[in-house]
Amino acid sequence: GAVVSQHPSWVICKSGTSVKIECRSLDFQATTMFWYRQFPKQSLMLMATSNEGSKATYEQGVEKDKFLINHASLTLSTLTVTSAHPEDSSFYICSAGSRTGYNSPLHFGNGTRLTVT
Amino acid sequence: AQSVAQPEDQVNVAEGNPLTVKCTYSVSGNPYLFWYVQYPNRGLQFLLKYITGDNLVKGSYGFEAEFNKSQTSFHLKKPSALVSDSALYFCAVRPDQAAGNKLTFGGGTRVLVKP
């Protein structure tokens, strides 16, 4: 089955630094990737939608200068949390969909737990 | 706009008993419905989907779900629960209009299966 690899699985960084999270589709071309944020015991909050070769579309209330998304190829999207602060600590999950799979399920990475100290 | 409701925050069931996780949806047009499961500190794993056709959908790990258009529901079921089914379950909907692959998730239901 389709596999999405997300790296790193966890990261601890100091306040003010930036952190990059990678999301790769390993065996299919991901025309669209989604980035979610999940707080403890809560549902997934969609942060942004990235389409290969174009700018990401951010959901309302998500700072695009804070959460930089790049989708430079059909197999890789990155989320960079810039100037991280403790309130950015969360579980970030990416998912990917293919151009042929509108009625197909999204495939999810295993998530990245970010802790900002 | 589409929405999904999972009315139960948590469901407790004894091992071997039937498990039901409820989901209702609201969407204009025909819905594409999905169930996912999440284990601690992991991403979501796809269980099953309803697109069209038979209202009873069978998925992974012995799970099934029944699409009920009149009640706008898509409840997840398993005839005999296992302790290993303890996890967080999400229902999701995508309208059939051209909205990309974006999914709207319910709030999640935590399932605890006791030995």
PDB file of all heavy atoms in Angstrom, chain A residues 102, chain B residues 2 27-32 93-100 102-104:
ATOM      1  N   TYR A 102      -9.170  10.921  -6.097  1.00  0.00           N
ATOM      2  CA  TYR A 102     -10.082  11.810  -5.377  1.00  0.00           C
ATOM      3  C   TYR A 102     -10.968  11.035  -4.425  1.00  0.00           C
ATOM      4  O   TYR A 102     -11.311  11.506  -3.359  1.00  0.00           O
ATOM      5  CB  TYR A 102     -10.938  12.620  -6.356  1.00  0.00           C
ATOM      6  CG  TYR A 102     -11.847  13.573  -5.644  1.00  0.00           C
ATOM      7  CD1 TYR A 102     -11.334  14.703  -5.018  1.00  0.00           C
ATOM      8  CD2 TYR A 102     -13.204  13.329  -5.545  1.00  0.00           C
ATOM      9  CE1 TYR A 102     -12.151  15.576  -4.334  1.00  0.00           C
ATOM     10  CE2 TYR A 102     -14.038  14.204  -4.867  1.00  0.00           C
ATOM     11  CZ  TYR A 102     -13.501  15.322  -4.265  1.00  0.00           C
ATOM     12  OH  TYR A 102     -14.319  16.189  -3.579  1.00  0.00           O
TER      13      TYR A 102
ATOM     14  N   GLN B   2     -19.189  21.241   4.894  1.00  0.00           N
ATOM     15  CA  GLN B   2     -19.375  19.893   5.409  1.00  0.00           C
ATOM     16  C   GLN B   2     -18.939  19.821   6.868  1.00  0.00           C
ATOM     17  O   GLN B   2     -18.101  20.594   7.322  1.00  0.00           O
ATOM     18  CB  GLN B   2     -18.569  18.880   4.585  1.00  0.00           C
ATOM     19  CG  GLN B   2     -17.074  19.083   4.619  1.00  0.00           C
ATOM     20  CD  GLN B   2     -16.596  19.973   3.499  1.00  0.00           C
ATOM     21  OE1 GLN B   2     -17.358  20.751   2.936  1.00  0.00           O
ATOM     22  NE2 GLN B   2     -15.338  19.873   3.165  1.00  0.00           N
ATOM     23  N   VAL B  27     -23.292  17.205   4.690  1.00  0.00           N
ATOM     24  CA  VAL B  27     -22.577  17.621   3.491  1.00  0.00           C
ATOM     25  C   VAL B  27     -23.573  17.835   2.363  1.00  0.00           C
ATOM     26  O   VAL B  27     -24.571  17.115   2.270  1.00  0.00           O
ATOM     27  CB  VAL B  27     -21.514  16.568   3.101  1.00  0.00           C
ATOM     28  CG1 VAL B  27     -22.170  15.249   2.715  1.00  0.00           C
ATOM     29  CG2 VAL B  27     -20.632  17.065   1.987  1.00  0.00           C
ATOM     30  N   SER B  28     -23.314  18.802   1.548  1.00  0.00           N
ATOM     31  CA  SER B  28     -24.162  19.000   0.371  1.00  0.00           C
ATOM     32  C   SER B  28     -23.665  18.063  -0.719  1.00  0.00           C
ATOM     33  O   SER B  28     -22.474  17.874  -0.893  1.00  0.00           O
ATOM     34  CB  SER B  28     -24.088  20.451  -0.095  1.00  0.00           C
ATOM     35  OG  SER B  28     -22.743  20.821  -0.330  1.00  0.00           O
ATOM     36  N   GLY B  29     -24.568  17.456  -1.408  1.00  0.00           N
ATOM     37  CA  GLY B  29     -24.179  16.490  -2.418  1.00  0.00           C
ATOM     38  C   GLY B  29     -23.924  15.129  -1.800  1.00  0.00           C
ATOM     39  O   GLY B  29     -24.238  14.867  -0.639  1.00  0.00           O
ATOM     40  N   ASN B  30     -23.358  14.266  -2.579  1.00  0.00           N
ATOM     41  CA  ASN B  30     -23.084  12.916  -2.102  1.00  0.00           C
ATOM     42  C   ASN B  30     -21.768  12.880  -1.332  1.00  0.00           C
ATOM     43  O   ASN B  30     -20.773  13.420  -1.769  1.00  0.00           O
ATOM     44  CB  ASN B  30     -23.026  11.952  -3.292  1.00  0.00           C
ATOM     45  CG  ASN B  30     -24.356  11.838  -3.999  1.00  0.00           C
ATOM     46  OD1 ASN B  30     -25.394  11.716  -3.361  1.00  0.00           O
ATOM     47  ND2 ASN B  30     -24.342  11.920  -5.324  1.00  0.00           N
ATOM     48  N   PRO B  31     -21.779  12.213  -0.199  1.00  0.00           N
ATOM     49  CA  PRO B  31     -20.561  12.208   0.631  1.00  0.00           C
ATOM     50  C   PRO B  31     -19.630  11.063   0.290  1.00  0.00           C
ATOM     51  O   PRO B  31     -20.057   9.976  -0.073  1.00  0.00           O
ATOM     52  CB  PRO B  31     -21.129  12.027   2.040  1.00  0.00           C
ATOM     53  CG  PRO B  31     -22.319  11.142   1.819  1.00  0.00           C
ATOM     54  CD  PRO B  31     -22.897  11.540   0.474  1.00  0.00           C
ATOM     55  N   TYR B  32     -18.359  11.346   0.439  1.00  0.00           N
ATOM     56  CA  TYR B  32     -17.358  10.284   0.509  1.00  0.00           C
ATOM     57  C   TYR B  32     -16.978  10.201   1.981  1.00  0.00           C
ATOM     58  O   TYR B  32     -16.587  11.205   2.580  1.00  0.00           O
ATOM     59  CB  TYR B  32     -16.125  10.618  -0.322  1.00  0.00           C
ATOM     60  CG  TYR B  32     -16.350  10.658  -1.823  1.00  0.00           C
ATOM     61  CD1 TYR B  32     -15.361  11.146  -2.671  1.00  0.00           C
ATOM     62  CD2 TYR B  32     -17.528  10.233  -2.400  1.00  0.00           C
ATOM     63  CE1 TYR B  32     -15.541  11.195  -4.045  1.00  0.00           C
ATOM     64  CE2 TYR B  32     -17.729  10.280  -3.772  1.00  0.00           C
ATOM     65  CZ  TYR B  32     -16.734  10.764  -4.583  1.00  0.00           C
ATOM     66  OH  TYR B  32     -16.921  10.819  -5.942  1.00  0.00           O
ATOM     67  N   VAL B  93     -15.184  13.141   6.247  1.00  0.00           N
ATOM     68  CA  VAL B  93     -16.056  13.275   5.081  1.00  0.00           C
ATOM     69  C   VAL B  93     -15.413  14.175   4.048  1.00  0.00           C
ATOM     70  O   VAL B  93     -14.665  15.101   4.372  1.00  0.00           O
ATOM     71  CB  VAL B  93     -17.442  13.830   5.489  1.00  0.00           C
ATOM     72  CG1 VAL B  93     -17.335  15.275   5.969  1.00  0.00           C
ATOM     73  CG2 VAL B  93     -18.420  13.733   4.334  1.00  0.00           C
ATOM     74  N   ARG B  94     -15.696  13.865   2.822  1.00  0.00           N
ATOM     75  CA  ARG B  94     -15.269  14.716   1.706  1.00  0.00           C
ATOM     76  C   ARG B  94     -16.453  14.807   0.765  1.00  0.00           C
ATOM     77  O   ARG B  94     -17.004  13.780   0.369  1.00  0.00           O
ATOM     78  CB  ARG B  94     -14.073  14.093   0.999  1.00  0.00           C
ATOM     79  CG  ARG B  94     -13.635  14.813  -0.258  1.00  0.00           C
ATOM     80  CD  ARG B  94     -12.669  13.947  -1.038  1.00  0.00           C
ATOM     81  NE  ARG B  94     -11.431  13.754  -0.317  1.00  0.00           N
ATOM     82  CZ  ARG B  94     -10.637  12.696  -0.490  1.00  0.00           C
ATOM     83  NH1 ARG B  94     -10.960  11.754  -1.353  1.00  0.00           N
ATOM     84  NH2 ARG B  94      -9.515  12.575   0.192  1.00  0.00           N
ATOM     85  N   PRO B  95     -16.908  15.993   0.393  1.00  0.00           N
ATOM     86  CA  PRO B  95     -18.029  16.091  -0.524  1.00  0.00           C
ATOM     87  C   PRO B  95     -17.614  15.692  -1.931  1.00  0.00           C
ATOM     88  O   PRO B  95     -16.428  15.717  -2.259  1.00  0.00           O
ATOM     89  CB  PRO B  95     -18.409  17.573  -0.456  1.00  0.00           C
ATOM     90  CG  PRO B  95     -17.138  18.253  -0.079  1.00  0.00           C
ATOM     91  CD  PRO B  95     -16.402  17.299   0.808  1.00  0.00           C
ATOM     92  N   ASP B  96     -18.568  15.320  -2.753  1.00  0.00           N
ATOM     93  CA  ASP B  96     -18.203  14.863  -4.080  1.00  0.00           C
ATOM     94  C   ASP B  96     -17.951  16.002  -5.046  1.00  0.00           C
ATOM     95  O   ASP B  96     -17.545  15.795  -6.166  1.00  0.00           O
ATOM     96  CB  ASP B  96     -19.257  13.915  -4.649  1.00  0.00           C
ATOM     97  CG  ASP B  96     -20.595  14.621  -4.892  1.00  0.00           C
ATOM     98  OD1 ASP B  96     -20.746  15.785  -4.486  1.00  0.00           O
ATOM     99  OD2 ASP B  96     -21.474  14.004  -5.507  1.00  0.00           O
ATOM    100  N   GLN B  97     -18.180  17.239  -4.555  1.00  0.00           N
ATOM    101  CA  GLN B  97     -17.853  18.356  -5.419  1.00  0.00           C
ATOM    102  C   GLN B  97     -16.346  18.497  -5.520  1.00  0.00           C
ATOM    103  O   GLN B  97     -15.605  17.908  -4.762  1.00  0.00           O
ATOM    104  CB  GLN B  97     -18.452  19.661  -4.870  1.00  0.00           C
ATOM    105  CG  GLN B  97     -19.958  19.712  -4.839  1.00  0.00           C
ATOM    106  CD  GLN B  97     -20.506  19.272  -3.506  1.00  0.00           C
ATOM    107  OE1 GLN B  97     -19.862  18.531  -2.796  1.00  0.00           O
ATOM    108  NE2 GLN B  97     -21.701  19.722  -3.186  1.00  0.00           N
ATOM    109  N   ALA B  98     -15.920  19.310  -6.451  1.00  0.00           N
ATOM    110  CA  ALA B  98     -14.493  19.490  -6.677  1.00  0.00           C
ATOM    111  C   ALA B  98     -13.881  20.330  -5.575  1.00  0.00           C
ATOM    112  O   ALA B  98     -13.718  21.516  -5.677  1.00  0.00           O
ATOM    113  CB  ALA B  98     -14.261  20.155  -8.029  1.00  0.00           C
ATOM    114  N   ALA B  99     -13.599  19.692  -4.460  1.00  0.00           N
ATOM    115  CA  ALA B  99     -13.003  20.401  -3.327  1.00  0.00           C
ATOM    116  C   ALA B  99     -11.618  19.884  -3.042  1.00  0.00           C
ATOM    117  O   ALA B  99     -11.126  20.011  -1.928  1.00  0.00           O
ATOM    118  CB  ALA B  99     -13.884  20.256  -2.091  1.00  0.00           C
ATOM    119  N   GLY B 100     -11.011  19.292  -4.030  1.00  0.00           N
ATOM    120  CA  GLY B 100      -9.698  18.724  -3.777  1.00  0.00           C
ATOM    121  C   GLY B 100      -9.816  17.495  -2.911  1.00  0.00           C
ATOM    122  O   GLY B 100     -10.885  16.919  -2.763  1.00  0.00           O
ATOM    123  N   LYS B 102      -9.338  17.456   0.260  1.00  0.00           N
ATOM    124  CA  LYS B 102      -9.439  17.870   1.647  1.00  0.00           C
ATOM    125  C   LYS B 102     -10.505  17.072   2.377  1.00  0.00           C
ATOM    126  O   LYS B 102     -11.617  16.896   1.897  1.00  0.00           O
ATOM    127  CB  LYS B 102      -9.777  19.357   1.713  1.00  0.00           C
ATOM    128  CG  LYS B 102      -9.768  19.936   3.124  1.00  0.00           C
ATOM    129  CD  LYS B 102     -10.244  21.377   3.118  1.00  0.00           C
ATOM    130  CE  LYS B 102      -9.338  22.303   2.346  1.00  0.00           C
ATOM    131  NZ  LYS B 102      -9.738  23.722   2.524  1.00  0.00           N
ATOM    132  N   LEU B 103     -10.149  16.591   3.555  1.00  0.00           N
ATOM    133  CA  LEU B 103     -11.075  15.860   4.408  1.00  0.00           C
ATOM    134  C   LEU B 103     -11.447  16.715   5.609  1.00  0.00           C
ATOM    135  O   LEU B 103     -10.625  17.454   6.125  1.00  0.00           O
ATOM    136  CB  LEU B 103     -10.432  14.569   4.921  1.00  0.00           C
ATOM    137  CG  LEU B 103     -10.226  13.411   3.950  1.00  0.00           C
ATOM    138  CD1 LEU B 103      -9.475  12.293   4.638  1.00  0.00           C
ATOM    139  CD2 LEU B 103     -11.563  12.910   3.439  1.00  0.00           C
ATOM    140  N   THR B 104     -12.673  16.560   6.045  1.00  0.00           N
ATOM    141  CA  THR B 104     -13.105  17.163   7.302  1.00  0.00           C
ATOM    142  C   THR B 104     -13.248  16.045   8.317  1.00  0.00           C
ATOM    143  O   THR B 104     -13.977  15.078   8.072  1.00  0.00           O
ATOM    144  CB  THR B 104     -14.430  17.900   7.127  1.00  0.00           C
ATOM    145  OG1 THR B 104     -14.251  18.963   6.190  1.00  0.00           O
ATOM    146  CG2 THR B 104     -14.892  18.473   8.455  1.00  0.00           C
TER     147      THR B 104
END
